């Protein structure tokens, strides 16, 4: 009998001291450079999917990628959903409205600072501290850095999943497809060398794969 | 020279070298035949004996377990029959208290009725006519000869008239008295009916008691058989225990299904109360809280049924005095009622949250939000009723649980005995196999060295033959 009590107490203690975070954190980078602004409705669909899929306690943030993306100012909307489902639902509604308002007023930027955006995402998610960290890049992955900005350093991505969404083929890619392949390979190299995992989803009918491990 | 070459005595001709090695091996094996046989047989015998001893030990353990099972089975059976007899006695007591306690008053009523009937009967008795004092006068008058004397005729006519008049008066008097008697007898009828009904009731009560006493007699026979530990009682108890086990398992599975549905009803709204983002171990706190509520309900159900003395899982509750037990009954019932009400509210909340989520998903999918259909309150009401009813339904888990616990001891014992029997058989089989393998290995050994054995046989035969012939010669001479 004593042993049973001891084991039960041990199980309770072990269970209570489990500090593993079970929440998920998603940071979505939205390319707003040049003609990619035309794809904003697709980005909205993805955000709506994320709002439906994420649970109370999860974190979601949407930021734009512009000429200098390593800035909090580029975050369009961010939220950590409340534990109560009714409050979380209300937060989701407000989040959707913010994104909608942004989509209406979006203006294209001259440069595309994806690396800066990614750094911002890493910083934000590390601070939020969710159990699973996912960075979504809604872009053609063609990076154009403003003169004088330094981005040629490795990014620490251990524990991060990076998913490239809707990587459209540029006109030059059609002429030389190797450019497209090289672009993807380059990003994959950056992510995996930083300790993260890399995935590309171009078919937006398979959005369920975004949050899959 | 490599190691392979060392083995090859004749490297130029490996076949001869191999043959030479075989020959050497056979010779060595032949020379070591006796100790080798001895070693093989000893080893097999050691294994055989070890296995036999192990099997014997297992059988002893099995016997002990079997004895224990028998004790457990008999004790359980004794307890069950005791409970049944106790119940029967309670019923008899109830009948006696309810019906037979009124017997003195019943007897008094019957006595009163009998007195009334007796009085009426006496009053209704036929009053014998007064003995006629003028018989002789009539006789004398009748003897007067009719001589035609007018005076006599007149006297006789007068007498006749008086007679007729008297007769009419007597008949009317008689009819009056008879009527009175009949009315008295009519008055007796309800008394008779009442008495018959009363006696019928008494007969019913008595026959019920007789039936109960027959049941008690049967149970007492069973009880005696169990006390004596007869084979019949053992068989009966064992089969009853197995049946109980399977029935209890089936009902418990149904109860688990009910608990799962109950869990799904309250898990989502619990996240509204305790938050859906915190975890205890790998489980959501809201899920754990919902499960705890269900378990508390089951526990309260156990105490409630125990307080009603339907089950006997907790001897402390059973041995409480009636006042304390009644208090406990009301406390557990109140807690259960409150929890059922909470569950009902949670079920309502669940419906609200689900509807809100559905609306959000529809708006996110940019689908036109559908208007709620008429009669939408039916699922809500259904969920609320289920949320209220299920905790009370789960209360009755105590009964199959008790059966399961009681019968599982026997079933577990039977399984252990079966397992030990299989182990003992396997050990014996392995021991015998080891002995046979030892013999077989000795024979295989001889097969390998058959050539020198054959030569040995020839030499032995040659050496034995002259001896026999010399003996024969002696016999002949």
């Amino acid at each position: 009998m004593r042993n049973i009590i001891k084991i039960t107490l041990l199980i309770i203690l072990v269970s209570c001291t489990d500090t593993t975070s079970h929440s998920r954190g998603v940071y979505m980078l939205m390319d707003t450079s040049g003609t990619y602004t035309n794809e904003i409705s697709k980005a909205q669909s993805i955000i709506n999917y994320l709002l439906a899929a994420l649970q109370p306690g999860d974190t979601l943030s949407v930021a734009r990628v512009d000429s200098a993306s390593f800035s909090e100012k580029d975050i369009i909307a961010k939220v950590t959903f409340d534990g109560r489902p009714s409050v979380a639902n209300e937060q989701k509604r407000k989040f959707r409205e913010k994104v909608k308002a942004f989509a209406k007023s979006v203006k294209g930027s001259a440069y595309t600072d994806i690396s800066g955006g990614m750094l911002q995402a890493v910083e934000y998610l590390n601070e939020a501290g969710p159990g699973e960290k996912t960075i979504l890049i809604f872009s053609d992955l063609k990076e154009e850095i403003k003169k004088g900005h330094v981005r040629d350093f490795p990014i620490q991505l251990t524990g991060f999943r990076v998913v490239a969404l809707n990587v459209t083929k540029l006109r030059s890619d059609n002429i030389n497809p190797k450019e497209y392949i090289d672009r993807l390979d380059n990003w994959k190299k950056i992510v995996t060398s930083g300790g993260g995992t890399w995935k590309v989803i171009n078919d937006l009918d398979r959005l369920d794969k975004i949050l899959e491990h | 020279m490599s190691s392979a070459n060392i083995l090859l005595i004749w490297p130029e001709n490996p076949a001869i070298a191999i043959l030479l090695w075989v020959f050497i091996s056979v010779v060595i094996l032949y020379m070591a035949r006796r100790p080798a046989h001895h070693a093989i047989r000893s080893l097999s015998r050691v294994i055989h004996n070890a296995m036999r001893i192990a099997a014997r030990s297992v059988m002893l353990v099995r016997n002990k377990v079997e004895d224990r099972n028998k004790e457990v089975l008999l004790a359980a059976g004794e307890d069950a029959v005791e409970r049944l007899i106790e119940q029967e006695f309670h019923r008899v007591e109830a009948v006696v208290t309810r019906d037979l306690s009124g017997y003195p008053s019943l007897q008094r009523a019957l006595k009163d009725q009998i007195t009334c009937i007796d009085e009426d009967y006496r009053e209704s008795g036929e009053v014998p006519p007064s003995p006629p004092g003028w018989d002789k006068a009539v006789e004398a008058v009748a003897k007067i000869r009719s001589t035609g004397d007018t005076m006599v005729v007149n006297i006789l006519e007068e007498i006749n008239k008086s007679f007729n008049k008297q007769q009419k008066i007597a008949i009317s008097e008689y009819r009056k008295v008879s009527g009175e008697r009949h009315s008295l007898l009519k008055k007796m009828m309800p008394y008779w009916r009442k008495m018959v009904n009363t006696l019928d009731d008494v007969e019913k009560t008595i026959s019920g008691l007789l039936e109960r006493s027959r049941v008690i007699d049967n149970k007492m026979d069973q009880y005696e058989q169990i006390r004596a530990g007869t084979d019949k009682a053992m068989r009966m108890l064992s089969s009853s225990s197995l049946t109980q086990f399977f029935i209890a398992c089936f009902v418990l599975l149904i109860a688990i299904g009910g608990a799962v549905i109950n869990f799904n009803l309250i898990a989502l709204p619990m996240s509204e109360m305790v938050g859906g983002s915190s975890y205890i171990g790998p489980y959501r706190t809201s899920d754990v809280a919902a499960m705890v509520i269900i378990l508390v309900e089951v526990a309260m159900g156990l105490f409630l049924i125990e307080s009603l003395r339907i089950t006997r899982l907790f001897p402390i509750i059973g041995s409480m005095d009636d006042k304390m037990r009644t208090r406990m009954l009301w406390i557990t019932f109140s807690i259960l009622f409150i929890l059922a009400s909470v569950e009902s509210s949670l079920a309502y909340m669940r419906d609200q949250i689900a509807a809100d989520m559905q609306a959000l998903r529809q708006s996110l999918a940019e689908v036109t939000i559908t208007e709620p259909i008429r009669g939408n309150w039916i699922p809500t009401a259904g969920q609320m009723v289920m949320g209220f009813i299920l905790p009370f339904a789960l209360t009755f888990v105590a009964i199959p649980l008790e059966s399961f616990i009681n019968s599982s001891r026997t079933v577990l014992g039977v399984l252990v005995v079966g397992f030990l029997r299989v182990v003992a058989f396997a050990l014996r089989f392995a021991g015998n196999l080891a002995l046979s393998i030892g013999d077989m290995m000795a024979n295989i050994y001889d097969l390998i060295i058959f050539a020198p054995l054959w030569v040995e046989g020839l030499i032995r035969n040659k050496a034995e033959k002259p001896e026999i012939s010399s003996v024969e010669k002696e016999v002949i001479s």
Side-chain angles (χ1 to χ4, degrees):
Chain A
M1 192 65 188
R2 274 186 187 172
N3 287 335
I4 293 169
I5 292 167
K6 276 179 192 171
I7 291 165
T8 314
L9 282 173
L10 197 73
I11 289 167
I12 291 167
L13 278 172
V14 168
S15 307
C16 292
T17 51
D18 181 21
T19 52
T20 320
S21 175
H22 296 265
S23 61
R24 292 177 290 185
V26 180
Y27 194 101
M28 184 165 165
L29 290 167
M30 239 171 19
D31 192 344
T32 55
S33 64
T35 53
Y36 212 79
T37 45
N38 299 332
E39 304 281 325
I40 202 89
S41 61
K42 285 182 185 174
Q44 265 182 292
S45 303
I46 294 166
I47 292 163
N48 284 349
Y49 168 78
L50 290 172
L51 286 171
L54 292 173
Q55 298 292 318
D58 291 345
T59 303
L60 176 64
S61 184
V62 175
R64 59 182 286 177
V65 175
D66 58 7
S67 304
S69 307
F70 186 54
S71 162
E72 279 84 4
K73 283 177 189 171
D74 285 325
I75 296 175
I76 302 157
K78 59 178 176 179
V79 68
T80 296
F81 297 119
D82 194 88
R84 289 165 294 170
S86 58
V87 180
N89 284 352
E90 211 45 53
Q91 286 173 315
K92 284 175 183 179
R93 284 191 179 98
K94 279 182 185 163
F95 195 98
R96 188 176 66 116
E97 289 310 313
K98 270 188 188 174
V99 174
K100 216 172 181 177
F102 169 77
K104 277 180 187 166
S105 62
V106 67
K107 282 175 189 165
S109 61
Y111 297 92
T112 318
D113 178 18
I114 299 172
S115 299
M118 205 183 269
L119 272 171
Q120 181 60 41
V122 170
E123 197 184 53
Y124 178 82
L125 287 177
N126 278 338
E127 207 175 306
E132 291 171 19
K133 297 166 194 166
T134 308
I135 299 171
L136 305 177
I137 308 171
F138 183 78
S139 164
D140 54 16
L141 298 179
K142 176 89 175 168
E143 191 167 45
E144 286 165 314
I145 308 287
K146 203 175 176 182
K147 202 175 177 186
H149 287 205
V150 182
R151 298 287 185 261
D152 56 343
F153 51 84
I155 306 167
Q156 189 53 250
L157 287 164
T158 311
F160 280 81
R161 289 170 67 244
V162 181
V163 183
L165 297 165
N166 193 42
V167 186
T168 50
K169 280 99 186 171
L170 304 171
R171 203 171 293 158
S172 56
D173 295 338
N174 225 341
I175 297 160
N176 182 11
K178 203 175 175 297
E179 268 185 30
Y180 177 78
I181 294 162
D182 286 346
R183 207 159 64 235
L184 287 178
D185 281 347
N186 182 41
W187 276 107
K188 187 180 179 181
K189 206 173 146 188
I190 291 168
V191 172
T192 50
S193 63
T197 58
W198 172 256
K199 197 188 231 178
V200 179
I201 298 173
N202 279 332
D203 184 359
L204 297 185
D205 287 336
R206 289 187 296 153
L207 287 176
D208 51 315
K209 304 261 178 193
I210 293 176
L211 298 172
E212 254 181 28
H213 268 281
Chain B
M1 200 183 226
S2 67
S3 58
N5 285 342
I6 292 167
L7 286 172
L8 285 175
I9 300 165
W10 209 324
E12 296 81 30
N13 204 337
I16 291 170
I18 288 165
L19 275 174
L20 203 63
W21 272 118
V22 168
F23 178 75
I24 291 165
S25 305
V26 167
V27 169
I28 291 168
L29 284 172
Y30 175 71
M31 284 163 73
R33 185 183 172 238
R34 198 177 289 262
H37 272 209
H38 188 71
I40 290 167
R41 291 228 160 84
S42 298
L43 183 69
S44 66
R45 216 165 291 133
V46 162
I47 294 170
H48 171 73
N49 288 339
M51 292 293 175
R52 216 182 54 186
I53 289 164
R56 177 105 185 111
S57 306
V58 170
M59 287 302 274
L60 282 172
V61 174
R62 193 208 74 178
N63 289 343
K64 271 188 184 173
V65 174
E66 227 165 25
D67 288 345
R68 188 202 148 272
N69 281 355
K70 198 177 171 182
E71 276 170 23
V72 167
L73 202 61
L74 287 174
E78 214 175 293
D79 188 48
V81 177
E82 264 175 17
R83 278 167 79 168
L84 283 173
I85 292 171
E86 203 180 319
Q87 272 175 8
E88 287 299 327
F89 273 120
H90 276 305
R91 278 174 195 157
V92 169
E93 192 197 351
V95 170
V96 169
T97 317
R98 193 186 61 216
D99 299 327
L100 298 185
S101 64
Y103 265 42
S105 61
L106 190 78
Q107 196 190 2
R108 215 165 28 247
L110 276 172
K111 251 186 182 174
D112 291 347
Q113 282 167 13
I114 288 165
T115 312
C116 287
I117 288 167
D118 193 43
E119 279 170 6
D120 286 351
Y121 180 72
R122 272 187 203 159
E123 279 177 28
S124 70
E126 201 171 336
V127 184
S130 55
W134 33 270
D135 280 5
K136 281 176 185 172
V138 171
E139 214 175 307
V141 171
K143 279 177 184 172
I144 296 171
R145 283 186 188 171
S146 175
T147 54
D149 192 353
T150 52
M151 205 170 153
V152 173
V153 169
N154 282 339
I155 290 165
L156 288 172
E157 274 176 359
E158 278 303 313
I159 290 167
N160 186 31
K161 270 181 190 170
S162 303
F163 258 130
N164 283 337
K165 200 180 170 185
Q166 276 298 314
Q167 196 182 359
K168 270 181 189 170
I169 291 164
I171 285 168
S172 69
E173 192 69 23
Y174 181 74
R175 277 179 182 160
K176 195 184 165 190
V177 172
S178 293
E180 277 173 8
R181 275 207 314 272
H182 279 144
S183 71
L184 281 170
L185 285 169
K186 211 176 178 182
K187 262 169 72 183
M188 277 164 67
M189 268 174 72
Y191 287 116
W192 278 113
R193 275 193 202 122
K194 245 187 201 175
M195 206 158 81
V196 167
N197 286 341
T198 314
L199 289 172
D200 278 350
D201 287 346
V202 172
E203 192 198 350
K204 270 181 200 167
T205 311
I206 297 296
S207 58
L209 277 176
L210 283 172
E211 211 172 289
R212 292 264 165 253
S213 68
R214 270 197 293 275
V215 173
I216 291 171
D217 279 349
N218 284 339
K219 295 292 167 203
M220 281 307 286
D221 282 346
Q222 274 184 23
Y223 187 68
E224 275 165 17
Q225 280 184 1
I226 292 167
R227 293 274 294 176
T230 59
D231 286 344
K232 191 187 163 192
M234 282 296 295
R235 274 199 304 277
M236 191 183 73
L237 289 174
S238 159
S239 102
S240 155
S241 186
L242 279 172
T243 315
Q244 281 295 309
F245 180 77
F246 287 115
I247 292 170
C249 280
F250 179 66
V251 179
L252 279 178
L253 280 176
I254 293 170
I256 289 167
V260 169
I261 288 174
N262 206 355
F263 173 79
N264 282 323
L265 266 179
I266 61 170
L268 179 65
M270 277 309 281
S271 61
E272 197 68 29
M273 287 166 75
V274 295
S277 53
S278 61
Y279 281 75
I280 297 175
Y283 306 105
R284 275 175 196 268
T285 310
S286 56
D287 289 353
V288 174
M291 190 50 82
V292 166
I293 283 186
I294 291 165
L295 291 176
V296 169
E297 282 168 0
V298 171
M300 287 301 128
L302 287 180
F303 294 146
L304 185 72
I305 298 286
E306 193 75 20
S307 304
L308 288 167
R309 283 199 175 145
I310 296 171
T311 56
R312 290 182 182 181
L313 286 166
F314 305 98
I316 296 171
I317 298 174
S319 60
M320 278 177 185
D321 61 278
D322 282 355
K323 201 177 167 187
M324 194 64 161
R325 208 164 43 78
T326 315
R327 263 187 214 162
M328 181 139 183
L329 195 145
W330 281 110
I331 290 167
T332 48
F333 179 76
S334 306
I335 294 171
L336 205 59
F337 186 82
I338 291 164
L339 286 172
S341 307
V342 168
E343 265 205 30
S344 189
S345 316
L346 287 173
Y348 175 73
M349 200 193 256
R350 181 190 182 277
D351 200 58
Q352 300 289 308
I353 296 168
D356 188 33
M357 278 181 170
Q358 186 63 24
L360 176 71
R361 281 198 189 117
Q362 281 180 345
S363 70
L364 289 172
E366 285 165 359
V367 178
T368 324
I369 297 167
T370 48
E371 283 292 315
I373 49 165
R374 278 191 176 187
N376 202 28
W377 58 271
I378 295 171
T380 313
Q383 284 182 36
M384 285 179 75
V385 170
M386 268 172 73
F388 191 78
I389 294 290
L390 279 171
F392 288 105
L394 282 175
T395 301
F396 295 98
V397 166
I399 299 166
L401 186 72
E402 190 192 32
S403 287
F404 178 78
I405 290 167
N406 288 340
S407 57
S408 62
R409 287 175 76 193
T410 316
V411 173
L412 207 69
V414 169
L415 286 175
V416 170
V417 166
F419 174 72
L420 289 175
R421 197 170 278 175
V422 169
V423 170
F425 171 77
L427 287 169
R428 274 196 184 157
F429 182 77
N432 287 336
L433 201 70
L435 205 65
S436 303
I437 286 172
D439 286 344
M440 197 175 76
M441 279 175 75
N443 289 336
I444 290 169
Y445 191 97
D446 284 355
L447 194 70
I448 294 165
I449 55 167
F450 77 95
L453 283 176
W454 179 64
V455 173
E456 184 196 321
L458 280 178
I459 294 164
R460 195 170 282 170
N461 280 344
K462 266 190 183 176
E464 279 174 358
K465 263 183 189 173
E467 276 177 27
I468 295 161
S469 60
S470 62
V471 172
E472 280 172 352
K473 275 174 190 173
E474 276 174 20
V475 170
I476 291 159
S477 63

